[in-house]
Amino acid sequence: MTDLDELDRESARPGAGQGTADPVKALLHRHRELCERAVDPLEIAAGLEAHGVTDRTAARFRHRDVFSLAEELYARIPRDGDTPRPSAATTAPGPRVGWVVLTLLPGVLGLASVAALRLTHGQSRLYAVAAVAAGVLAIALAMRAALRRGSPLGTTPTTSTPSTTGTAAWTCWLLGYALLGDGLLHTAITGGPDGPPTRGPGGPEGDWALAVAPALSLTLAFAPGAWSARLFAVRARRKVAASRGLEDFADSVRPLLFGAFGLFLCALAALFTLCATVLDEPFTHHEVLTLGALLFLARLLTLHGFTHAPKVVLAAAALAQAAALATVFAARLPGCGALATPVETLVTTWDPSGVATLICGAAALTLLIHAARTLTRASAHAQHAQPEAPPQGDPA
């Protein structure tokens, strides 16, 4: 039996709350550390919700909701001095120049990498490979710095996000597939590839095409993603202060979540349209938007402490893409031609980007449903009141 069940049973007995029986005092004793470190009753309410206390449970403690119960717990904790402690819901400073620069850095380096690839076009293959390798390394380091040093998409002093090494590996695969996967799939179905990809931005040669526009637009969209995440975090924290119940909070935060999500997708769509136009590449909006939605939701959930679902969903999406490629190559074995039939049918009916679109779309929809259930809880925002905190040392 859990501590909450024991308290509920005690508070439900006749005479509870009268005489010497004080279930609120018992609750305070069990959650004293939470109550002592809280800067305001809102953090206590979020912490109680994380421990399974609901508005119905609060009614057994003679309170209308968890927020009212949290206010009593906060008032019962003795504090030194008469100066009230500032509320985290109202003291969040504006964006800092440092993290704004960090969020823009991946996109800037992405533009520089594409420019370098154009300059090496028509020269020795070694120069092109060196340009691509240097660009990928620079972008990876910039994203790592942004995700670990105070970006709204990165960890802060108020977060305790577990290690996400596995998630990063699956994310790299998904981004790599966006760059190379469609071209490789198309070439494999037609009997290739006969060599490495040779088509750069603006270059017509080679049958295994590099899709530069999707990769570039995703790096440029890093900044809108960070800003959308910050907008959601700050507004959700304010809703905690204004709400008077857990259901009321969930109803008010859900539109914020969908609004931030839609804002990011609109920015990504505009950036991809611009990139595809300049680089003269196909307009595969469906593939780019589903992949961007998947990565944005996975990171947002991870930052709020929900790491299991993003890791599983990203892994499933990456493995599904790998399986699609594997079936096409395995179909070349004697007697295995039927293995590639589903993939070939989809590619013929739609185009090579349809495979990634269906996989990433299903994965993004799964995470969106999960986010609508988890990120609308007050406990999801208890430790994320200051996403714009100053840079910290790299934990790695």
Side-chain angles (χ1 to χ4, degrees):
M1 178 177 295
T2 64
D3 292 345
L4 179 58
D5 292 335
E6 182 179 345
L7 285 171
D8 287 347
R9 186 177 65 173
E10 179 183 352
S11 63
R13 293 184 315 190
Q18 301 176 2
T20 58
D22 188 354
V24 175
K25 184 176 181 180
L27 186 66
L28 176 62
H29 176 72
R30 296 178 188 276
H31 299 286
R32 190 173 189 86
E33 182 180 355
L34 167 67
C35 298
E36 286 179 344
R37 71 169 182 261
V39 298
D40 56 30
L42 306 176
E43 289 193 8
I44 298 178
L48 291 177
E49 184 199 32
H51 284 86
V53 179
T54 65
D55 289 340
R56 182 177 179 181
T57 306
R60 300 177 183 177
F61 292 92
R62 303 185 184 280
H63 283 273
R64 64 183 180 274
D65 51 43
V66 174
F67 286 76
S68 176
L69 176 59
E71 288 174 352
E72 179 177 348
L73 293 174
Y74 183 80
R76 286 196 180 195
I77 290 292
R79 305 180 188 280
D80 298 331
D82 297 328
T83 303
R85 301 173 70 177
S87 171
T90 58
T91 59
R96 299 184 179 221
V97 176
W99 71 256
V100 172
V101 173
L102 283 175
T103 59
L104 293 171
L105 190 57
V108 172
L109 291 177
L111 290 173
S113 300
V114 173
L117 193 58
R118 276 186 173 276
L119 291 176
T120 57
H121 177 65
Q123 301 183 17
S124 171
R125 183 183 299 276
L126 179 62
Y127 291 107
V129 172
V132 172
V136 170
L137 179 61
I139 294 172
L141 292 176
M143 286 189 172
R144 184 175 186 270
L147 292 175
R148 290 178 178 266
R149 297 181 181 273
S151 161
L153 286 178
T155 56
T156 68
T158 57
T159 63
S160 56
T161 305
S163 174
T164 56
T165 304
T167 302
W170 300 122
T171 301
C172 290
W173 168 272
L174 293 171
L175 292 173
Y177 189 94
L179 181 66
L180 299 166
D182 290 345
L184 177 58
L185 182 61
H186 177 267
T187 304
I189 291 177
T190 56
D194 299 322
T198 57
R199 178 183 176 184
E205 77 280 5
D207 57 352
W208 181 2
L210 285 173
V212 179
L216 177 60
S217 61
L218 287 169
T219 60
L220 291 172
F222 188 91
W227 300 338
S228 298
R230 181 185 183 276
L231 176 66
F232 171 68
V234 172
R235 293 293 180 88
R237 185 64 181 176
R238 291 175 181 172
K239 290 294 184 181
V240 175
S243 301
R244 294 310 309 168
L246 298 178
E247 293 184 1
D248 181 29
F249 174 77
D251 292 339
S252 62
V253 168
R254 194 169 289 110
L256 289 179
L257 173 63
F258 292 137
F261 179 62
L263 183 63
F264 167 73
L265 290 184
C266 289
L268 177 59
L271 289 170
F272 175 70
T273 300
L274 178 62
C275 293
T277 302
V278 173
L279 298 177
D280 192 22
E281 292 190 5
F283 289 88
T284 55
H285 285 86
H286 41 270
E287 180 181 7
V288 175
L289 291 179
T290 52
L291 176 56
L294 174 60
L295 297 179
F296 178 77
L297 291 170
R299 188 62 190 177
L300 201 61
L301 283 165
T302 298
L303 291 179
H304 288 82
F306 305 100
T307 59
H308 179 69
K311 183 179 296 185
V312 171
V313 172
L314 288 176
L319 292 175
Q321 289 180 343
L325 286 172
T327 56
V328 175
F329 286 105
R332 299 179 180 182
L333 299 175
C336 298
L339 290 176
T341 300
V343 175
E344 291 179 351
T345 302
L346 178 60
V347 171
T348 303
T349 305
W350 198 346
D351 57 47
S353 65
V355 174
T357 300
L358 289 180
I359 293 173
C360 293
L365 180 60
T366 301
L367 287 187
L368 181 61
I369 296 173
H370 183 62
R373 296 178 55 189
T374 56
L375 297 185
T376 54
R377 300 175 185 171
S379 55
H381 305 276
Q383 302 298 326
H384 304 275
Q386 298 176 1
E388 66 289 348
Q392 299 294 311
D394 193 333

